Amino acid sequence: MKATAIANSNLAFVKYWGKKDEKLRLPENGSISMILSGMETKTTVEFLANLKKDDITIDGKEDNGRVSLHLDRIRKVADIKTRAKVISKNNFPSSTGLSSSASGFAALTLAGTKAAGLNLSERKLSILARKGSGSACRSIPGGFVEWKSGDKDDESFSYTLFPKTYWDICDIVCICSSEKKDVSSTEGQKLVSSSPFYNSRIINIEQKLIRAREALKKRDFTMLGQLAEEEALEMHAIMMTSKPALLYLLPSTVQLMRFVMSERSNGTEIYFSLNTGQDVHILCKESDKDKLAKKLSEQDYVKKIIISKSGDGARLTEEHLQ
Ligand code: DP6
């Protein structure tokens, strides 16, 4: 059977950076995020009896094996041995810090399980997607999402805190370079305990989760924006003080961070967030979106912008990729 799924990327306000179980991808702490409506992966999976090995095409390129490993997990749940043909396309550049693994593994999990004849619940899909890439478990449910860290495999999954229509805040993603990051999130996270600041992060993380839930509950943009920016800086401080040090920021990333700070002091309330990479997420109110998008497009260090609101969780479509 052939199945196709679409899943969106997500932006974490409270970040996932560090695992307590590498193999199961159990995170050191819970995290809270929003689905990004403008950033989609579409994936078609078909299990074919005549294939000797998985035939995987991702945005026209061959894959490195991580997808095949995830197909093995799906085959195990479905109790089948058949190899699969997988075609996947993103509507945004991958591997520059835009969390393509989140939308990618969420779409693969939904399309793969459906193509294997399974009908898993949202919770089971989230648990399975997590094992492909941690942040992918937050791209299964829609809207504003919390990932409960959990101590066991079946306790670590994501669910919707508030639906996408709850709040119309925007995320303008600014792509500052098409350069691929040289250390992946998976590799980077292995270094967390070498940073002298990681322990204090973990001690204070519960407070941050409480603040994020509170900010969402009250639709308090100032509270959420300040927290998101603090988090991005703290995570990059940990990256930079890991041994060896991880420096993802490019000069254009810092220019954008300074742009945000200067706009803010001039009265437009905006905040930045960062992931593993150079690109910058700018959180703004709906009423400021058009003016900001225009201004950002005029900056020579901004290559492209993608505007998102909170979006849908992973879903099936009948429109298959070839
Ligand atoms: C900085 O989910 O890509 O985007 O589980 O090893 O695949 P793996 O890592 P991944 O890490 C995402 C890290 C982050 C923060 C976040 O999205 O919470």
Side-chain angles (χ1 to χ4, degrees):
M1 211 219 293
K2 195 188 224 183
T4 300
I6 297 175
N8 291 58
S9 184
N10 65 74
L11 171 73
F13 306 121
V14 178
K15 305 284 186 187
Y16 148 55
W17 193 247
K19 301 175 178 66
K20 59 185 166 215
D21 186 315
E22 197 69 41
K23 193 155 176 278
L24 288 175
R25 281 192 152 79
L26 292 179
E28 198 64 61
N29 58 273
S31 50
I32 294 181
S33 57
M34 138 179 163
I35 294 279
L36 300 178
S37 62
M39 298 172 64
E40 278 182 10
T41 300
K42 187 176 189 181
T43 302
T44 298
V45 180
E46 187 172 16
F47 288 93
L48 292 165
N50 61 339
L51 289 178
K52 297 241 171 346
K53 61 180 181 75
D54 294 321
D55 174 3
I56 298 161
T57 313
I58 294 188
D59 263 338
K61 293 181 287 312
E62 290 284 312
D63 166 67
N64 57 16
R66 204 166 149 188
V67 170
S68 217
L69 265 178
H70 199 57
L71 289 168
D72 287 343
R73 293 185 190 104
I74 294 170
R75 279 186 279 260
K76 195 167 171 205
V77 183
D79 196 20
I80 56 170
K81 298 249 173 319
T82 328
R83 304 286 122 185
K85 183 172 178 199
V86 177
I87 307 176
S88 184
K89 283 192 179 1
N90 290 334
N91 72 349
F92 60 93
S94 53
S95 302
T96 64
L98 293 180
S99 307
S100 56
S101 69
S103 51
F105 280 96
L108 178 67
T109 304
L110 180 58
T113 51
K114 194 72 192 170
L118 298 165
N119 269 314
L120 301 187
S121 64
E122 181 183 280
R123 181 192 291 206
K124 289 218 159 100
L125 285 168
S126 177
I127 290 169
L128 190 54
R130 188 198 78 228
K131 292 184 233 184
S133 179
S135 53
C137 81
R138 293 191 315 241
S139 279
I140 296 287
F144 297 87
V145 171
E146 173 154 10
W147 174 8
K148 205 164 133 320
S149 64
D151 288 321
K152 288 194 267 176
D153 185 21
D154 61 352
E155 286 173 355
S156 186
F157 58 90
S158 299
Y159 49 89
T160 298
L161 283 175
F162 297 100
K164 66 170 185 178
T165 49
Y166 175 76
W167 200 6
D168 61 358
I169 54 170
C170 300
D171 175 9
I172 305 182
V173 182
C174 303
I175 297 169
C176 10
S177 157
S178 50
E179 221 171 278
K180 300 254 171 194
K181 60 192 180 205
D182 43 2
V183 182
S184 68
S185 292
T186 307
E187 289 310 307
Q189 288 189 46
K190 289 183 185 158
L191 304 174
V192 284
S193 54
S194 65
S195 164
F197 305 123
Y198 194 64
N199 260 350
S200 61
R201 167 170 176 73
I202 295 307
I203 291 168
N204 294 311
I205 203 79
E206 206 47 52
Q207 256 336 94
K208 286 193 167 166
L209 289 165
I210 292 170
R211 267 169 75 197
R213 283 185 214 110
E214 188 73 8
L216 287 172
K217 195 170 154 202
K218 292 184 175 155
R219 295 191 183 88
D220 185 332
F221 184 66
T222 307
M223 193 174 176
L224 188 71
Q226 285 176 348
L227 173 67
E229 200 168 291
E230 242 176 66
E231 259 296 88
L233 289 167
E234 182 174 294
M235 183 177 71
H236 277 266
I238 286 166
M239 290 164 168
M240 285 187 241
T241 51
S242 291
K243 291 167 195 68
L246 297 168
L247 183 60
Y248 291 108
L249 313 184
L250 293 180
S252 48
T253 317
V254 179
Q255 273 175 300
L256 270 160
M257 292 157 78
R258 298 186 76 97
F259 170 93
V260 169
M261 289 169 163
S262 124
E263 285 295 307
R264 204 160 59 221
S265 50
N266 291 332
T268 309
E269 196 180 9
I270 56 174
Y271 300 91
F272 64 76
S273 181
L274 308 158
N275 281 336
T276 326
Q278 65 264 20
D279 298 325
V280 180
H281 293 254
I282 298 183
L283 291 168
C284 70
K285 295 177 181 163
E286 159 69 26
S287 50
D288 290 324
K289 177 193 72 182
D290 294 337
K291 166 184 85 178
L292 261 170
K294 183 169 181 292
K295 202 158 182 185
L296 283 163
S297 307
E298 287 161 5
Q299 310 303 313
D300 58 0
Y301 48 86
V302 176
K303 302 276 175 270
K304 183 180 158 66
I305 63 166
I306 303 171
I307 303 174
S308 290
K309 285 192 184 173
S310 183
D312 291 314
R315 63 255 178 221
L316 292 164
T317 167
E318 290 302 316
E319 285 167 27
H320 305 299
L321 294 170
Q322 275 310 305

